[in-house]
Amino acid sequence: MIKAVTGTKDILPSEINRWYYLENIVKEVFINFNYKEIRTPVFEETALFARGIGEETDIVSKEMYTFLDRSETSITLKPEMTAAVVRAYIEHSLGTLQPLNKLFYISPMFRQERPQAGRFRQFHQFGAEAIGSTSPLLDAEMIEMSYNIFKRLGLKDLVVKINSLGVPQSREEYKNKLREFLSDKKDMLTEESRKRFDKNILRIFDSKIESDQKIMKDAPLLIDYLDEESKNDFDTVKEYLTKVGIPFVVDSALVRGLDYYTKTTFEVISNKVGSQSALCGGGRYDLLIEELGGKPTPGVGFAAGMERILLACENENSFALSAPSIDVYLVKLQPGPETALSAGKLELELSRIASELRSNNISSDYDYIGRSMKAQMREANKLNAKYVLFIGGDEYSRGELLLKNLADGQQKTFSKDDINRIISEVRQ
Ligand code: AMP
């Protein structure tokens, strides 16, 4: 039997309401902050990610789904969105249409990582990018939007971590200090960290190995080497977050992998999802747009992992969600003694009424597989139907339909020619 590829999963109908719920909140919050949705293709030319994310990063060096298509073009399934959004921004000259573009997305992503709880090979992210302003208020806005979404989902056990990486010049000075600090300790680092020492020294802070962490505990901190502008911007971010009541901690080890990050970086962590605890991460990338061939333009953004967020919701029991429900389930009874209609005609009449309800935006369904009345009622309950509409029996012989409210058990009869009254009753 052919199964779904390792690290991918089906989202089944029983789970879909949770996805809708999350997606609706995401859209509402972004639209509230005046962000507009952008949808880009699932695949791009490989060079975009190699340049946009950085050759040395784990994503590009180990995790991309890359292949040659039939015309020998190297194609990559998108592992993240920022590079793709920036490509679209440059390609369509969005910056000439308006100076600041506030964009959001909801999209599948692909990374060939080792599958484990909270880590998939196809997963989904939502996120935002604001391109065209250096204002630190936008950095804070990214944190605020993600925090708002998590709060509206009912997540409580969250930690917002922030840091500033400064500008390249101050970062270079700091990297020298770090090299100096590590020069006599290099041999004690793990092999992976020794590699990072040469390629991307800041990422030694990302090491999860205790012996590395012990060494890095006493390392000089980037935050103490910030240039004046980065320091001021970081202060503004902190001041704004305090003003709007978002708790945060400054984590100077939060370096994030990408070379093009500048100034603010942040992550929101949940204590409820095990070892893969980052729900979202983001930061400012004032150098990326130029790197990808656009005019020098500042930008800031974040991405959040939807599978992990849903897991956090589940673990915090925060789904105030009822099971999927429909408005009306139509139940067919035996035709009454004086009904002129045959069973077949009665069924057609039932489906016509369902059609009329559906045209009026009342969600409805009925039985197509000849189940008994009892089994039809069981189905109505399983679907969490708000009402059952009975068609047939003595009522129908009298020209009436019986509507039962399943929540309180109340029943009302309506003339079978007056579906509009049923519609009004259901809408109440
Ligand atoms: P990144 O783009 O690596 O900064 O990731 C942003 C967010 O996406 C993370 O905080 C996770 O919530 C989520 N994420 C990243 N990689 C995966 C993955 N392989 N599976 C599931 N979620 C992921």
Side-chain angles (χ1 to χ4, degrees):
M1 209 200 80
I2 299 173
K3 293 193 170 161
V5 174
T6 308
T8 69
K9 70 190 194 67
D10 301 305
I11 299 171
L12 296 172
S14 56
E15 306 163 77
I16 201 68
N17 263 32
R18 296 180 168 206
W19 283 84
Y20 288 163
Y21 180 69
L22 171 58
E23 286 163 12
N24 286 340
I25 288 181
V26 166
K27 284 182 192 163
E28 269 173 35
V29 169
F30 283 144
I31 289 169
N32 218 302
F33 282 77
N34 195 27
Y35 283 69
K36 302 249 165 20
E37 187 172 358
I38 181 162
R39 299 183 188 186
T40 67
V42 162
F43 53 87
E44 299 272 353
E45 281 191 32
T46 304
L48 173 69
F49 300 116
R51 270 166 66 188
I53 305 175
E55 303 271 9
E56 299 306 333
T57 58
D58 285 351
I59 296 182
V60 174
S61 62
K62 307 191 229 178
E63 297 168 359
M64 294 204 303
Y65 278 98
T66 298
F67 57 94
L68 288 180
D69 71 4
R70 283 168 202 277
S71 53
E72 303 280 298
T73 307
S74 181
I75 295 290
T76 293
L77 302 184
K78 62 184 165 189
E80 62 102 55
M81 260 308 258
T82 306
V85 170
V86 168
R87 197 261 315 131
Y89 170 90
I90 298 168
E91 187 171 337
H92 303 286
S93 308
L94 297 184
T96 59
L97 302 176
Q98 51 192 49
L100 174 64
N101 279 266
K102 301 217 276 184
L103 307 166
F104 81 88
Y105 58 85
I106 301 176
S107 173
M109 303 294 161
F110 307 86
R111 295 183 198 173
Q112 191 160 5
E113 298 191 77
R114 194 168 60 79
Q116 51 181 295
R119 225 170 235 301
F120 303 97
R121 290 181 170 177
Q122 174 173 337
F123 58 100
H124 297 77
Q125 287 185 337
F126 65 79
E129 316 288 350
I131 304 176
S133 163
T134 54
S135 170
L137 291 176
L138 283 169
D139 308 15
E141 187 165 292
M142 294 295 158
I143 300 170
E144 188 182 11
M145 289 191 295
S146 62
Y147 195 75
N148 275 2
I149 290 168
F150 299 146
K151 255 184 40 191
R152 283 187 54 180
L153 287 166
L155 296 179
K156 290 186 201 80
D157 212 347
L158 300 173
V159 183
V160 178
K161 291 182 178 178
I162 62 171
N163 190 22
S164 176
L165 299 181
V167 295
Q169 207 179 354
S170 63
R171 207 178 327 164
E172 269 323 303
E173 281 167 32
Y174 167 73
K175 280 185 186 170
N176 287 335
K177 284 273 178 295
L178 195 56
R179 260 179 224 119
E180 237 169 73
F181 167 80
L182 285 172
S183 59
D184 57 348
K185 302 173 187 67
K186 198 177 156 191
D187 294 343
M188 292 178 318
L189 291 170
T190 55
E191 195 189 330
E192 182 74 25
S193 289
R194 278 203 303 275
K195 271 193 210 148
R196 288 175 175 173
F197 183 92
D198 298 319
K199 286 184 175 165
N200 191 349
I201 192 164
L202 290 184
R203 292 216 46 222
I204 300 179
F205 282 107
D206 286 345
S207 171
K208 300 275 182 290
I209 310 295
E210 211 184 318
S211 58
D212 284 343
Q213 287 179 345
K214 225 167 160 183
I215 294 172
M216 297 311 281
K217 205 166 55 82
D218 300 320
L221 296 175
L222 180 51
I223 204 102
D224 297 327
Y225 292 83
L226 288 184
D227 55 286
E228 208 53 34
E229 192 183 83
S230 299
K231 209 184 288 171
N232 289 340
D233 285 359
F234 196 47
D235 286 342
T236 305
V237 171
K238 288 189 284 189
E239 211 176 319
Y240 180 86
L241 292 179
T242 307
K243 277 210 160 77
V244 299
I246 297 178
F248 60 87
V249 292
V250 175
D251 178 357
S252 35
L254 182 68
V255 292
R256 299 188 54 78
L258 315 192
D259 297 347
Y260 304 111
Y261 273 118
T262 48
K263 298 184 177 173
T264 312
T265 56
F266 76 97
E267 259 178 24
V268 182
I269 308 290
S270 163
N271 290 321
K272 285 287 194 292
V273 288
S275 65
Q276 300 301 319
S277 60
L279 297 186
C280 77
R284 187 161 270 290
Y285 47 84
D286 289 347
L287 305 173
L288 177 62
I289 292 145
E290 191 179 2
E291 177 62 30
L292 288 176
K295 287 198 203 103
T297 312
V300 58
F302 80 97
M306 298 173 78
E307 282 80 2
R308 274 187 216 175
I309 291 168
L310 291 173
L311 186 66
C313 289
E314 209 167 296
N315 292 349
E316 285 209 36
N317 260 334
S318 77
F319 278 114
L321 269 181
S322 57
S325 75
I326 61 164
D327 295 322
V328 178
Y329 194 78
L330 296 93
V331 168
K332 190 178 65 164
L333 305 172
Q334 291 306 315
E338 288 133 53
T339 312
L341 296 178
S342 66
K345 285 270 190 292
L346 188 70
E347 190 162 40
L348 207 59
E349 179 62 4
L350 180 145
S351 54
R352 186 197 62 77
I353 294 171
S355 159
E356 198 166 336
L357 294 175
R358 290 163 173 171
S359 310
N360 282 279
N361 209 17
I362 305 281
S363 57
S364 347
D365 207 359
Y366 56 90
D367 173 60
Y368 300 83
I369 51 176
R371 279 182 277 200
S372 69
M373 194 204 66
K374 249 191 172 160
Q376 292 179 62
M377 285 305 291
R378 270 202 301 275
E379 181 67 12
N381 281 314
K382 207 164 113 193
L383 288 173
N384 206 11
K386 293 179 192 129
Y387 290 89
V388 168
L389 185 64
F390 294 97
I391 301 174
D394 294 341
E395 276 88 9
Y396 199 82
S397 308
R398 292 196 297 270
E400 289 174 338
L401 302 172
L402 180 69
L403 183 74
K404 181 173 179 178
N405 182 329
L406 286 189
D408 59 17
Q410 269 196 18
Q411 310 194 119
K412 281 188 186 170
T413 50
F414 295 86
S415 159
K416 72 178 172 56
D417 300 320
D418 200 358
I419 304 299
N420 280 341
R421 278 193 50 224
I422 298 178
I423 291 169
S424 316
E425 179 73 23
V426 172
R427 282 218 179 110
Q428 266 178 20

